[in-house]
Amino acid sequence: MKKLVLIVSIFFLYTILGVAQDTSTFTIPDSLKNKTFDEIERLGFKYYNDSIKHEIYANTLLVKAKQKNDPLSLAKAYRSAVFMFKNKFPERIAYLDSSIAISKDLNHKLYPAVPYSIKGGEYKQIRDYNKALDSYLAALKYSSASNNKNFYYLTKHNIGSLKEDIGEFDEAATIFKEVIDYEDKNNISGIGHLVTMLHLADSYRKLEYRDSATFYNTKGIKESLKDSLELYPFFVLHEGINLFYKQQYQNSLDSINKAMPFIEEFRPRVEESLVNTYIHLAKLYKEFDNKEKYLEYLLKINQSYDRSGFVSIEMREGYELLIDHYKLVDDKNKQLYYINKLFAVDSILDTNYKNLSKRIVLEYDTPKLLEEKQNLIDALEQKEKKTSIKFIIVVFFAVVLIIVVVLIYIKNVRYRRRFKELMHTPTLNTALPKEVLDKDPATPEAIGISEDIVNSVLEGLQKFEDKQGYVSANITTGELAKKLQTNSKYLSKIINTYKKKSFSVYINELRIEYVIEKLKNESKFRLYTIKAISREIGFNTTEAFSKSFYKKTGIYPSYFIKQLEKGKYVTI
């Protein structure tokens, strides 16, 4: 039966995959006809950078996989076909999704972990970090389930890379060190091992562990000379940057200049490394009092942004230095120009990195920047005698920006207050306050139901709550009434009267109270996605869960979980 389901799934994928490669007109070359599927797959790996050769191998794999009608072969063929579509994101994702769909039930060592991992990298490339993390977590889950330790740690590296991108350097360093220790223990070397070492050294540098960064950079330089020359200049660059913070300025300059020509050859894939190169060269030339070179490399940072659209946390500092430079030389036009550029960079950073460190705001406070921007506009308008209409428009937009910042601040304060209130509530209780009951006493006579039935239903509801029956999905008044040996009309009336709420509100609030306690006390539960949590406690949709959570607590579940994960609060 399972095999039949897989065959049907394969046929279904052939039908719906709108971007599927049409292999009906493809003829396998004579040189490949007698080669096995595995031999052709190895050739595809070998020549994946050669678009012409790889397309031949990928199409051959697809044809042979369809002929075999084997799910694993199809999954491998779809994964291989991804490399035919360079710079075509939708097609690449479609083929990866096909590989995943076909291999999900195979319980294979590498599938669907491999296509999930590649998919995570695709989303990371376009800076969709939420979807990248979803894919990496799926790869982690499947590699763990199949006990594929090597791929499990490779995926952990990818998650560490995401954390490094959003500024969580401490957590990133912990992950990279764990991967390095595993690979060292199991004698795993090569380019993947060196890439992890490079990330670990960079994370240590950003955490100001200078000597640890030097240790891994030095080790990486030695090993890359043996195993991977293409990574050698990156280790040289990273140690050159590290030497700057050790105040060894001449050695730092020599190392960065040595690495830069090689790194520029990899453009545009390494814009982050180029930005780091330019900003530290600018800082070095400032130390050497070479104003011309200092400005030259600061401007290269802006050129990188204009050329690639890439932004990073480090790029902010480059724009801050440009603003300070033009402030010093009293060039208000360029000062204003780079302030606007900085706002644009901040906007992208805020979109890409939802968990961006508050340190950025503290280092270049937004209200102060807005005030400085307005002062510059006023000075330029007075100098150039611009019209009052333009002045009013500029002021209006500045005020709107300030209002937006203030509203965001007020919302964050309100969320923090509500979170603290939730954390300092010792227990959750669905019973109504005594003053409410005293004010509006409910009696069986008042609702036209006998006292015995009311008491029996209330006792049954208490057992229902104690046994957490409310977490069942699609629970209805009819089902619950049947369990309590009454009818739905009586049940609704008793809940409305004695619980002071409708049946649906009653059930949803019980679920929310339950999930709050579970999230407080079970750290593993907090690792679930919002969708998984909502299903776990009986909600049919994530939206319904989030709305009910907000209605009950005044905050959203994602915010509540994020604050719990920060570890700043202890449950009572």
Side-chain angles (χ1 to χ4, degrees):
M1 181 67 184
K2 187 175 181 182
K3 185 174 181 182
L4 177 62
V5 171
L6 284 170
I7 292 170
V8 171
S9 298
I10 293 166
F11 176 78
F12 182 65
L13 279 166
Y14 288 161
T15 306
I16 66 167
L17 189 57
V19 297
Q21 186 77 355
D22 181 10
T23 55
S24 60
T25 58
F26 176 77
T27 302
I28 298 177
D30 291 339
S31 60
L32 300 179
K33 283 181 179 178
N34 294 325
K35 290 190 180 293
T36 66
F37 184 92
D38 292 340
E39 287 174 332
I40 296 168
E41 186 183 21
R42 283 194 290 271
L43 286 169
F45 278 126
K46 183 177 180 181
Y47 295 104
Y48 80 94
N49 268 329
D50 185 328
S51 58
I52 296 174
K53 286 185 178 180
H54 182 79
E55 185 170 351
I56 294 170
Y57 297 134
N59 278 317
T60 302
L61 279 178
L62 281 169
V63 171
K64 285 184 174 282
K66 291 173 183 178
Q67 289 172 349
K68 289 175 70 175
N69 205 20
D70 170 51
L72 179 58
S73 296
L74 271 169
K76 290 180 176 181
Y78 282 131
R79 185 212 59 78
S80 179
V82 167
F83 299 102
M84 288 194 292
F85 298 98
K86 290 185 178 179
N87 303 318
K88 291 184 179 180
F89 179 78
E91 287 86 346
R92 291 168 76 90
I93 293 297
Y95 272 98
L96 289 169
D97 283 340
S98 297
S99 181
I100 289 165
I102 284 225
S103 58
K104 261 190 175 179
D105 299 322
L106 295 181
N107 195 27
H108 189 267
K109 195 173 183 181
L110 289 173
Y111 286 82
V114 167
Y116 264 126
S117 182
I118 298 171
K119 187 177 176 182
E122 294 294 322
Y123 278 117
K124 185 172 181 288
Q125 278 287 91
I126 65 166
R127 302 180 186 94
D128 189 336
Y129 292 102
N130 287 324
K131 288 185 179 178
L133 183 58
D134 286 343
S135 297
Y136 286 147
L137 289 174
L140 202 67
K141 169 188 159 188
Y142 282 102
S143 58
S144 177
S146 63
N147 201 29
N148 187 341
K149 294 253 181 178
N150 289 358
F151 201 82
Y152 175 83
Y153 280 96
L154 170 65
T155 307
K156 289 206 77 166
H157 162 94
N158 291 334
I159 293 173
S161 178
L162 276 182
K163 287 193 172 289
E164 186 182 10
D165 280 350
I166 63 174
E168 295 178 1
F169 304 123
D170 205 352
E171 294 179 34
T174 301
I175 292 173
F176 292 137
K177 184 64 168 65
E178 185 182 344
V179 175
I180 287 290
D181 288 345
Y182 168 79
E183 292 178 341
D184 284 342
K185 183 179 177 181
N186 291 275
N187 297 317
I188 297 172
S189 59
I191 189 167
H193 182 64
L194 285 169
V195 169
T196 304
M197 194 182 300
L198 187 67
H199 280 283
L200 178 60
D202 197 41
S203 297
Y204 278 149
R205 191 263 300 173
K206 290 169 182 173
L207 288 167
E208 300 182 12
Y209 302 159
R210 313 287 184 218
D211 291 338
S212 296
T214 292
F215 173 81
Y216 283 104
N217 280 327
T218 304
K219 186 177 180 183
I221 287 170
K222 291 178 181 177
E223 292 188 15
S224 62
L225 285 170
K226 294 185 296 182
D227 294 337
S228 180
L229 278 174
E230 62 188 275
L231 286 178
Y232 170 76
F234 290 92
F235 281 108
V236 174
L237 170 66
H238 282 211
E239 184 54 22
I241 292 172
N242 194 43
L243 289 171
F244 170 81
Y245 295 102
K246 288 185 171 185
Q247 298 183 340
Q248 298 178 31
Y249 298 130
Q250 189 57 54
N251 288 337
S252 172
L253 182 63
D254 292 342
S255 294
I256 295 175
N257 277 331
K258 180 180 179 181
M260 183 171 63
F262 297 97
I263 290 172
E264 285 183 326
E265 290 181 9
F266 288 94
R267 194 165 51 197
R269 289 186 294 146
V270 292
E271 288 296 333
E272 183 175 8
S273 293
L274 284 174
V275 169
N276 281 340
T277 302
Y278 298 149
I279 194 166
H280 287 93
L281 282 173
K283 288 180 179 180
L284 282 164
Y285 283 118
K286 187 175 183 180
E287 292 293 333
F288 295 133
D289 199 28
N290 188 331
K291 295 177 183 178
E292 186 178 334
K293 285 284 188 181
Y294 169 68
L295 181 59
E296 176 188 338
Y297 283 104
L298 287 182
L299 292 173
K300 280 181 178 287
I301 295 169
N302 183 57
Q303 291 164 11
S304 171
Y305 171 61
D306 289 339
R307 178 180 65 248
S308 67
F310 170 81
V311 301
S312 67
I313 297 172
E314 289 81 3
M315 184 176 280
R316 289 192 89 262
E317 187 180 2
Y319 279 109
E320 289 169 5
L321 293 173
L322 275 168
I323 292 166
D324 289 343
H325 169 78
Y326 286 112
K327 185 175 183 179
L328 191 65
V329 300
D330 196 28
D331 188 332
K332 291 183 174 58
N333 283 302
K334 287 188 177 177
Q335 196 181 345
L336 181 60
Y337 174 77
Y338 288 113
I339 283 179
N340 286 327
K341 275 295 187 72
L342 180 54
F343 273 122
V345 168
D346 276 345
S347 175
I348 297 171
L349 284 172
D350 184 57
T351 301
N352 290 345
Y353 311 136
K354 295 296 183 184
N355 300 319
L356 197 60
S357 172
K358 293 179 182 177
R359 181 168 54 86
I360 294 173
V361 180
L362 294 174
E363 287 176 353
Y364 207 92
D365 190 64
T366 299
K368 182 179 178 182
L369 189 60
L370 286 167
E371 182 182 357
E372 186 173 358
K373 177 180 177 179
Q374 187 58 55
N375 290 337
L376 285 167
I377 291 168
D378 291 343
L380 286 169
E381 285 182 338
Q382 185 176 7
K383 180 180 179 181
E384 299 173 11
K385 297 181 180 180
K386 293 186 177 180
T387 64
S388 60
I389 294 175
K390 187 172 181 180
F391 173 77
I392 292 169
I393 291 172
V394 173
V395 171
F396 170 77
F397 280 111
V399 169
V400 168
L401 282 170
I402 293 170
I403 291 171
V404 169
V405 171
V406 170
L407 288 175
I408 291 171
Y409 174 77
I410 291 171
K411 185 185 79 171
N412 287 336
V413 169
R414 185 171 70 249
Y415 276 16
R416 285 196 294 271
R417 184 177 68 249
R418 289 172 179 171
F419 176 77
K420 287 181 181 179
E421 289 170 358
L422 277 178
M423 295 306 297
H424 289 85
T425 302
T427 57
L428 293 163
N429 192 354
T430 59
L432 289 165
K434 185 176 183 300
E435 57 269 22
V436 174
L437 294 172
D438 290 344
K439 184 177 179 182
D440 185 18
T443 64
E445 295 79 6
I447 60 175
I449 304 173
S450 73
E451 186 173 355
D452 288 343
I453 293 175
V454 170
N455 290 337
S456 174
V457 171
L458 288 174
E459 184 179 342
L461 286 174
Q462 186 59 51
K463 290 179 181 178
F464 170 74
E465 293 177 17
D466 293 342
K467 291 181 180 179
Q468 297 163 356
Y470 44 81
V471 298
S472 298
N474 301 317
I475 189 165
T476 64
T477 51
E479 290 175 358
L480 185 55
K482 190 175 180 180
K483 289 180 182 178
L484 301 182
Q485 297 182 342
T486 186
N487 60 60
S488 57
K489 184 177 179 182
Y490 279 7
L491 178 61
S492 294
K493 191 175 285 189
I494 291 169
I495 290 175
N496 291 340
T497 304
Y498 289 89
K499 300 294 183 179
K500 301 295 180 186
K501 58 193 74 170
S502 68
F503 176 78
S504 61
V505 171
Y506 167 67
I507 294 296
N508 287 344
E509 288 192 355
L510 285 172
R511 290 169 174 171
I512 299 305
E513 290 161 356
Y514 167 77
V515 80
I516 288 171
E517 290 303 307
K518 196 170 176 72
L519 286 168
K520 281 184 184 179
N521 297 308
E522 296 183 23
S523 58
K524 287 185 179 178
F525 192 61
R526 297 196 291 267
L527 297 176
Y528 288 16
T529 64
I530 298 298
K531 184 177 181 179
I533 293 172
S534 65
R535 289 183 176 176
E536 182 83 7
I537 62 172
F539 284 96
N540 290 323
T541 67
T542 305
E543 184 181 6
F545 168 52
S546 294
K547 283 183 177 178
S548 294
F549 196 98
Y550 184 84
K551 186 176 180 181
K552 177 72 177 172
T553 65
I555 58 177
Y556 288 100
S558 56
Y559 178 85
F560 183 65
I561 293 169
K562 189 188 296 182
Q563 295 302 310
L564 286 172
E565 283 298 288
K566 287 182 178 179
K568 293 182 179 178
Y569 300 93
V570 179
T571 56
I572 297 175

